[in-house]
Amino acid sequence: MDRTPAQTARAQLTAFQGQLIGPEDSGYEDARTVYNAMIDKRPALVARCTGPEDVALAIGFARERRLPLAVRCGGHHGAGLGTCDGGLVVDLSPLKDIHVDPEARTVRVGGGCLWGEVDRATHEHGLATPSGIISTTGVGGLTLGGGLGHLTRKCGLTVDNLLAADLVLASGERVRASAEENSDLYWAIRGGGGNFGVVTSFLFRLHEVSTVVAGPTFWPVELGAEVLAAYRDFIPHAPRDLNGFFLYGSVPPGPPFPEEIHLRKVCGVVWCFAGDDTDAAAGAMAPLLDALPEPLVHGVAPMPHPAIQSAFDGIYPPGDQWYWRADFVDDIPAEAIDLHAKFGAELPSWKSTMHLYPVDGAVHDHAPTDTAWSYRDVRWASVYAGVDPDPANAGPIRQWTVDYFEALHPFSAGGAYVNMMMDEGQDRVRAGYRDNYARLARIKADRDPYNLFRVNQNIRPA
């Protein structure tokens, strides 16, 4: 009888310390599941790795057998790029070490950590680093794609705070990437995704951020055009301590929101002022609030930084159907505002949403060629996300997302944030990196010439 890949791996990889899980094993269904329930792939083998040695063994097994190779940390990617059919998944979830150095203001993070785990550890010292907006997101995926979040305007992208990373390459070689070591690789992984190796450890710069003044301001969706126009004019001139992303969505059906507005469609801003001075926060928000009608709710208050980081976790647990599209945006003319208002009023489910994340402030302190992330000159990153727990609604949420994207794409800067893209083809990947793509392709040819790491927003070897 022929052995399964899992049985073969267990027989051959005798030094492997973690778990090797195949379809015949009792834990397989759990091991293959990712965040987006629209993704239903069946890998031949899931290798839960306990350290770099396990990662190297798993990579070697996939390389020698020419198996598709996917790498998973939090498994949040909308296109399901943390898994694959018939291949090997390197599952980093056991790599959970976190070490905060409060004097150096750094944190070393294992490649399997989730951002909520990091936020809690750094918060004990009154420190933080930019880390997205949903705390169940994996550190690896968010970081390697760039990293937008509540602290972007003050502290930059997550990659702007990445000081070093330890990787296992396609060859199995273990290397460190930093400004001093393997600087080409260090440049590439700051936005170039998982194309160049498996990161088993990250070293991040930390900032003095402990208590923040944060929360949502919601207006009726009928005011969408007016609110978006005011937000467009306001946020580029707001102080860097104030981050706020615009959204279309629905009021969650639970506290702290008043019952009479539960599930009501709204537009609004989710704020995060990086400090505990409520007067300064109110003053920073005032030009926008004073220019608009009274909101349905202004739920802004002092809170620990991890609280705003995890505020969306309960709304978006694992197991929902997701379909995403995205773009970078430099200007939002009146015609685009009207289209946003149209689609924002037609949300196909209460969890579906559109976000406009500001890409300015500290992000603009870097040139487009300083890191692989090239869109340093735009002002927003838009994302359209159709979300619903019911598989029967997968079609409608996908159609709304695609229609919304196609209507607004002519007003975009051309490319998109790779962490918010589906599997949309090479032209979209190239557009996401612009002039940096050629350099990335050369580094890819040097570090992964046979494109072993291709289950991603793929940069093909030059």
Side-chain angles (χ1 to χ4, degrees), residues 122-123 126-129 151 154-155 207-212 274-275 305:
T122 60
H123 183 69
L127 301 169
T129 200
L151 299 179
K154 179 178 178 66
C155 304
H207 302 264
E208 287 190 3
V209 176
S210 181
T211 299
V212 297
H305 175 251

Side-chain angles (χ1 to χ4, degrees), residues 133 150 217-235 243-249 266-271 288 292 312 332 336-337 339-341 343-345 353-358 379-384 404:
I133 68 162
H150 291 299
T217 304
F218 291 150
W219 288 267
V221 73
E222 292 79 11
L223 295 178
E226 181 179 355
V227 175
L228 178 52
Y231 170 84
R232 171 200 63 189
D233 296 338
F234 161 78
I235 198 68
N243 201 90
F245 67 83
F246 178 89
L247 64 76
Y248 284 107
V266 293
C267 62
V269 179
V270 176
W271 303 102
L288 179 67
L292 291 167
F312 286 91
I332 310 173
I337 287 175
L339 287 167
H340 276 296
F343 284 98
T353 190
M354 188 284 294
H355 293 177
L356 271 172
Y357 298 101
R379 292 197 285 178
W380 292 280
S382 64
V383 60
Y384 317 98
Y404 198 161

Side-chain angles (χ1 to χ4, degrees), residues 4 26 78 96 130 164 210 260 271 406:
T4 67
S26 59
K96 294 289 193 183
S210 181
E260 61 268 21
W271 303 102
E406 290 183 349

Side-chain angles (χ1 to χ4, degrees), residues 320-357:
D320 285 345
Q321 307 280 312
W322 283 79
Y323 195 85
W324 300 41
R325 287 293 173 92
D327 263 323
F328 286 119
V329 179
D330 192 44
D331 191 22
I332 310 173
E335 186 180 351
I337 287 175
D338 290 342
L339 287 167
H340 276 296
K342 172 187 181 296
F343 284 98
E346 297 172 352
L347 296 168
S349 66
W350 82 264
K351 291 192 178 190
S352 295
T353 190
M354 188 284 294
H355 293 177
L356 271 172
Y357 298 101

Side-chain angles (χ1 to χ4, degrees), residues 80-363:
L81 298 180
T83 187
C84 57
D85 278 322
L88 188 154
V89 173
V90 172
D91 181 348
L92 300 175
S93 59
L95 277 68
K96 294 289 193 183
D97 290 347
I98 300 174
H99 176 71
V100 180
D101 185 336
E103 293 186 5
R105 292 188 185 174
T106 61
V107 59
R108 187 175 301 283
V109 178
C113 288
L114 306 181
W115 275 115
E117 297 162 343
V118 179
D119 293 335
R120 288 190 292 272
T122 60
H123 183 69
E124 291 181 9
H125 303 277
L127 301 169
T129 200
S131 53
I133 68 162
I134 295 180
S135 76
T136 58
T137 307
V139 169
L142 182 128
T143 299
L144 297 178
L148 285 167
H150 291 299
L151 299 179
T152 296
R153 298 189 75 242
K154 179 178 178 66
C155 304
L157 304 170
T158 306
V159 292
D160 298 335
N161 296 277
L162 178 63
L163 301 174
D166 296 318
L167 297 91
V168 183
L169 305 183
S171 63
E173 181 186 4
R174 294 168 56 182
V175 300
R176 164 163 278 216
S178 69
E180 294 78 30
E181 302 175 76
N182 296 293
S183 58
D184 61 329
L185 199 55
Y186 179 56
W187 179 87
I189 65 173
R190 288 179 292 160
N195 277 280
F196 305 96
V198 179
V199 180
T200 57
S201 178
F202 298 86
L203 181 67
F204 295 105
R205 178 188 299 110
L206 296 173
H207 302 264
E208 287 190 3
V209 176
S210 181
T211 299
V212 297
V213 182
T217 304
F218 291 150
W219 288 267
V221 73
E222 292 79 11
L223 295 178
E226 181 179 355
V227 175
L228 178 52
Y231 170 84
R232 171 200 63 189
D233 296 338
F234 161 78
I235 198 68
H237 307 289
R240 288 189 177 192
D241 283 346
L242 182 66
N243 201 90
F245 67 83
F246 178 89
L247 64 76
Y248 284 107
S250 301
V251 178
F257 301 104
E259 189 173 352
E260 61 268 21
I261 62 170
H262 285 181
L263 298 180
R264 183 166 174 176
K265 290 181 181 179
V266 293
C267 62
V269 179
V270 176
W271 303 102
C272 181
F273 181 85
D276 60 2
D277 188 333
T278 54
D279 290 338
M285 297 172 195
L288 179 67
L289 300 178
D290 292 348
L292 291 167
E294 184 177 351
L296 291 171
V297 63
H298 181 59
V300 174
M303 63 183 69
H305 175 251
I308 188 62
Q309 288 294 116
S310 59
F312 286 91
D313 292 4
I315 301 171
Y316 297 116
D320 285 345
Q321 307 280 312
W322 283 79
Y323 195 85
W324 300 41
R325 287 293 173 92
D327 263 323
F328 286 119
V329 179
D330 192 44
D331 191 22
I332 310 173
E335 186 180 351
I337 287 175
D338 290 342
L339 287 167
H340 276 296
K342 172 187 181 296
F343 284 98
E346 297 172 352
L347 296 168
S349 66
W350 82 264
K351 291 192 178 190
S352 295
T353 190
M354 188 284 294
H355 293 177
L356 271 172
Y357 298 101
V359 183
D360 60 5
V363 181

Side-chain angles (χ1 to χ4, degrees), residues 62-83:
R63 184 183 64 244
E64 291 163 10
R65 285 156 185 78
R66 300 184 180 179
L67 293 173
L69 178 67
V71 183
R72 184 169 75 227
C73 177
H76 269 242
H77 198 279
L81 298 180
T83 187

